Amino acid sequence: MGQVPREQAGRGAAGALSKVLVANRGEIAVRIIGTLAEHGIASVAVHSDADEKALHVRLADESVALPGTAATENYLDITRIVRAAQDSGADSIHPGYGFLAENAEFARAVTDAGLVFIGPSGDAIEVMGEKVAARRVAAQAGVPQVPGTTEPVTSADEVRAFGTEHGYPVAVKASFGGGGRGMRTVAGPDEAEDALVAARREAGAAFGNSEVYLERYLSAARHVEVQIFADAHGNAVWLGDRDCSVQRRHQKLVEESPAPGLQEELRAEMGEAAVRLAKAVGYVGAGTVEYLVEDGRFYFLEMNTRIQVEHPVTEAVLGMDLIAEQLRVAAGEPLSVPTSGPAPRGHAIECRINAEDPAGGLFVPSSGPIHALQVPMRPGVRFDSGYESGDEVAPHYDSMIGKLVVWGPDRDTAIRRTLAALDELVVDGVPTTIPAAEAVLAHPDFAGVAFTTRWLENAVEFPTATAVGTEEPDDADGDEGGRDEVWVGGRRYVIPFFTGAGAAAPAEPAARRSRGNGTKRKSSGDPGAGGSGAVSSPMQGTVIAVKVADGDAVTAGQILFVVEAMKMENPVRSTVDGKVGEIGAAVGDVVTAGARLAVVVPA
C-alpha cells in the first residue's frame, strides 16, 4: 500500500474558491471554517435565531441570519440557504454532514444557481443517498449485501412478511438519511407497527423524507466503514477504514482507525468494493461506504455521500486534511493521493462528547449552558467542538458538544492516552457522555476487540446516576424514597428498572458531571416523583406522541409519551402499575425538563 504525500494533501484548494457558505452549524461548521481560513478562503456562516451567538457564527468572516428556531425553518430550507449564498457573494456551498448534506434537490439547486456544491453531484446523491437505490447499485457492482427490500415499505404487514421470510430482528431504516436517525429494530411481529411509525416520523423530521426500507439485522456484526475519494478526472481511491461498532440507539459513540483485528485481505477487498461502488455512479468528492462484518465476511450497509462525523481519525493516521481535499476536488483539481490503501501511521480513537446523561444506559439529551470547557493539553489530542465556555447547548438540534480525537503510535497507547484525556476533559454545566466513553475504553472487551454493534447496550454497565461534586445526600444508601429512587445533588432521581421492553425513564435528568469537591446537604423533593406515579419529562423537548388516555390501565415500563429532543425520540414510561389520570400534555406541546406529563395512580 502506498504512503500519503502529506506535504501535498489539500494543496490547490485555495486558488479556485474564494468564498464558501457553510450550510451547517456546530462542530462541523467550525471545522470547515477553520480549514477555509487556513487556505485563505472567506467563510459565510448561516444561523437560526437560537444560534445567533454560536461559535461558528463568531468564527466566520460573515454571517447570514435564517429566522426561526426549528431546523425546517432554516438549516433545512433550500431556498433560504441558496439565496443567502447569492446575497453574500459566495461562490460555493459546503453542506457539512446532516441537514441537507445528502439532499439531491439541494445539490442541484446549488449548481443551478451557478454555485459550486462541495460534494457529489445531485444524481450521485440521489442514487447512493437513497438507500434502496443504493442497494440495487451495490448488487450490480458485486458488493455483498444482507437481505433487504428493494422498494420503500409503507405498512406493518410488509415488515411482518419480511420478518417471516428472513427472520428477526429486522431493521427499519430511513431511505434518505443516516447517523441512526429514522432507524428502529423490530424484535418480533408485535413491534412492527410502532417501529414503522416511529422510524417514518423521525426520518421525516431529520431528513425531510419519511421513506423507509427493511434489512435483516445482523445482531453479532461489527460496523466497519471505508473512506473513499474521487475527483472529476476519473481517479477514485479508498483511504483506509474505521471501526464504528460502539453504538447506542444505532448512533456511534466511539470510533477508531484503522479498524482493529481485520485480516489485511478482507480490508483490501472492502476497499476495492467501495471504489467499484463509487465508479458505478460516477462519484466525485468524499464518501464513505459502510459495511457490517461478521464471521470474516462483509456486507454492504449504505453509502454516505458526504464527509463523516468520524473523519478526524482517518486524518490522524494519514496526516491529511479531508476537508481541504474536498475543497481541492471541488475546485477541479486532481486528488492529492494517487493510489488506494495508503499505510496508516499509528492508531486513532474518537469519542463523541454529547450533551446526554448516560446514567443507567439511557443517554437522555440535556440542554443548558456550558459553564466551563477545558481541553487537556496532551500529545496527540485534538478536540473538535462547536462550543466554548459560556456557550449554551440548545435543545433544538443535535446533542453533540464535540469530538475528542486521540492519536497514538499503536492501539494500546491510543487507548491509554484517550482514557487520560477523558479524565482531564472538563465540560461543566450539562451531563455528557464522558463517563460512557470512559466505561467503553476501560472495558476488557474493547481492548480485546470483542465487541459488536449490540455490545454497548448489552454488555456495558453504566452507573444509575451521574457523579456530581457539588452536593450529595447525607444518607449514604439514598433509599429514603424507596429502592427505585435516589437523592443526588439535592434532587431526586429514579433508578431505572430494565425489562424486556426497555428501561423506565428517570423523573428528572441527572445532574451535571463535575470534578469539584463540595459539601453534602439534604433537601426535600417532590413527593409525587418517581415510584409514586408521577410521569415527568426527562428533558426539555416536544411531545410528539401520547399513547394513553385518562383512565387507561398501564404497567410499569409501558410507554406513555414520546418526547423529541435534540433530534432524538425519547420514550417516557410509567414507573408503576396503575391507572392513568391528569394527563397534562398533548402532541405538539413544548415541555421543560421535569414537567409533569401525567399521573399514574398506583394499583
Side-chain angles (χ1 to χ4, degrees):
M1 294 188 288
Q3 185 69 30
V4 175
R6 293 181 174 84
E7 72 283 358
Q8 296 180 19
R11 184 179 296 171
L17 305 177
S18 62
K19 182 184 283 190
V20 176
L21 181 139
V22 182
N24 219 295
R25 65 176 302 279
E27 67 84 18
I28 188 58
V30 171
R31 167 76 179 86
I32 295 165
I33 289 167
T35 293
L36 292 173
E38 182 179 334
H39 287 271
I41 303 173
S43 58
V44 181
V46 293
H47 66 85
S48 66
D49 290 342
D51 280 339
E52 181 181 4
K53 298 179 181 179
L55 180 59
H56 75 282
V57 177
R58 303 198 299 266
L59 293 177
D61 295 304
E62 56 187 279
S63 62
V64 178
L66 302 178
T69 298
T72 52
E73 300 176 292
N74 35 70
Y75 298 112
L76 288 171
D77 192 314
I78 294 174
T79 301
R80 276 186 171 183
I81 290 176
V82 173
R83 185 184 303 124
Q86 293 173 318
D87 292 347
S88 66
D91 53 35
S92 51
I93 294 179
H94 196 306
Y97 58 72
F99 292 131
L100 294 171
E102 294 182 282
N103 187 300
E105 181 185 351
F106 179 51
R108 292 187 180 112
V110 172
T111 55
D112 288 347
L115 306 172
V116 175
F117 182 73
I118 303 176
S121 68
D123 289 345
I125 293 176
E126 187 167 56
V127 173
M128 299 312 298
E130 200 277 283
K131 311 306 180 185
V132 175
R135 287 180 57 85
R136 291 194 289 265
V137 175
Q140 295 167 3
V143 182
Q145 301 181 68
V146 295
T149 58
T150 56
E151 298 294 337
V153 298
T154 58
S155 73
D157 286 341
E158 292 176 272
V159 179
R160 286 186 280 265
F162 183 88
T164 299
E165 180 179 358
H166 299 287
Y168 290 96
V170 171
V172 183
K173 304 178 68 175
S175 295
F176 290 86
R181 312 294 182 189
M183 179 176 174
R184 292 293 185 275
T185 303
V186 182
D190 293 343
E191 299 180 9
E193 185 73 44
D194 286 347
L196 180 64
V197 170
R200 286 175 57 85
R201 180 176 58 228
E202 193 172 74
F207 310 113
N209 191 303
S210 61
E211 281 191 7
V212 296
Y213 69 104
L214 307 177
E215 280 185 347
R216 175 71 169 89
Y217 190 80
L218 300 180
S219 57
R222 287 172 57 189
H223 183 140
V224 179
E225 62 188 29
V226 173
Q227 177 71 59
I228 62 115
F229 246 104
D231 60 28
H233 302 274
N235 304 308
V237 298
W238 62 276
L239 302 177
D241 49 63
R242 303 179 283 256
D243 191 295
C244 309
S245 302
V246 180
Q247 306 176 6
R248 82 281 184 272
R249 297 185 181 180
H250 312 296
Q251 295 167 30
K252 303 162 188 173
L253 180 66
V254 175
E255 302 102 350
E256 56 183 316
S257 182
L262 293 186
Q263 295 292 326
E264 291 306 311
E265 182 179 354
L266 179 66
R267 197 185 304 273
E269 288 177 0
M270 294 168 64
E272 294 306 320
V275 169
R276 289 199 306 272
L277 201 59
K279 289 183 174 180
V281 292
Y283 197 84
V284 174
T288 301
V289 178
E290 299 191 343
Y291 299 107
L292 293 175
V293 177
E294 187 175 83
D295 297 329
R297 302 178 64 183
F298 68 95
Y299 305 92
F300 174 71
L301 184 60
E302 63 185 21
M303 182 176 184
N304 292 312
T305 55
R306 53 171 167 79
I307 197 73
Q308 287 281 90
V309 178
E310 56 273 18
H311 75 273
V313 291
T314 296
E315 294 182 327
V317 298
L318 295 185
M320 292 184 67
D321 181 337
L322 294 182
I323 301 297
E325 195 73 14
Q326 283 188 296
L327 301 177
R328 178 187 181 98
V329 169
E333 298 289 331
L335 292 173
S336 67
V337 183
T339 57
S340 286
R345 177 193 60 183
H347 199 89
I349 296 173
E350 174 181 292
C351 299
R352 301 192 189 191
I353 309 302
N354 296 334
E356 299 173 20
D357 186 355
L362 295 179
F363 293 93
V364 175
S366 181
S367 57
I370 297 176
H371 302 308
L373 176 57
Q374 300 173 13
V375 180
M377 302 294 290
R378 281 180 169 270
V381 173
R382 159 182 170 182
F383 190 67
D384 287 10
S385 180
Y387 298 89
E388 292 179 328
S389 296
D391 289 339
E392 184 161 349
V393 180
H396 317 292
Y397 313 113
D398 189 89
S399 63
M400 183 180 290
I401 295 173
K403 303 178 306 195
L404 181 69
V405 184
V406 180
W407 177 88
D410 52 59
R411 188 170 186 262
D412 289 345
T413 303
I415 291 174
R416 289 196 301 272
R417 282 187 179 176
T418 306
L419 280 168
L422 286 167
D423 184 61
E424 296 172 1
L425 177 64
V426 174
V427 183
D428 192 7
V430 292
T432 74
T433 52
I434 292 175
E438 289 175 326
V440 167
L441 269 74
H443 201 289
D445 286 353
F446 186 80
V449 197
F451 49 74
T452 69
T453 56
R454 302 293 297 274
W455 171 76
L456 180 67
E457 295 174 333
N458 293 340
V460 180
E461 294 185 3
F462 299 99
T464 54
T466 303
V468 297
T470 53
E471 297 170 350
E472 294 178 3
D474 285 337
D475 53 319
D477 57 13
D479 63 356
E480 180 185 44
R483 72 181 186 91
D484 63 339
E485 299 175 356
V486 63
W487 288 98
V488 179
R491 301 174 68 186
R492 186 190 302 261
Y493 296 84
V494 177
I495 300 175
F497 287 99
F498 289 86
T499 67
E508 298 184 50
R512 62 179 173 83
R513 185 178 193 268
S514 171
R515 291 183 174 81
N517 292 318
T519 59
K520 296 181 180 181
R521 75 175 178 87
K522 190 172 183 177
S523 63
S524 60
D526 177 3
S532 63
V535 180
S536 303
S537 176
M539 77 289 291
Q540 179 176 336
T542 302
V543 177
I544 60 173
V546 178
K547 295 182 172 292
V548 289
D550 284 342
D552 284 356
V554 297
T555 58
Q558 181 176 337
I559 298 174
L560 309 183
F561 301 86
V562 179
V563 177
E564 189 275 333
M566 294 175 159
K567 298 169 67 177
M568 296 171 63
E569 293 191 3
N570 304 275
V572 181
R573 305 173 188 265
S574 177
T575 59
V576 297
D577 296 339
K579 182 175 291 187
V580 176
E582 300 181 30
I583 290 182
V587 172
D589 286 355
V590 177
V591 296
T592 59
R596 183 169 294 183
L597 305 178
V599 171
V600 177
V601 179

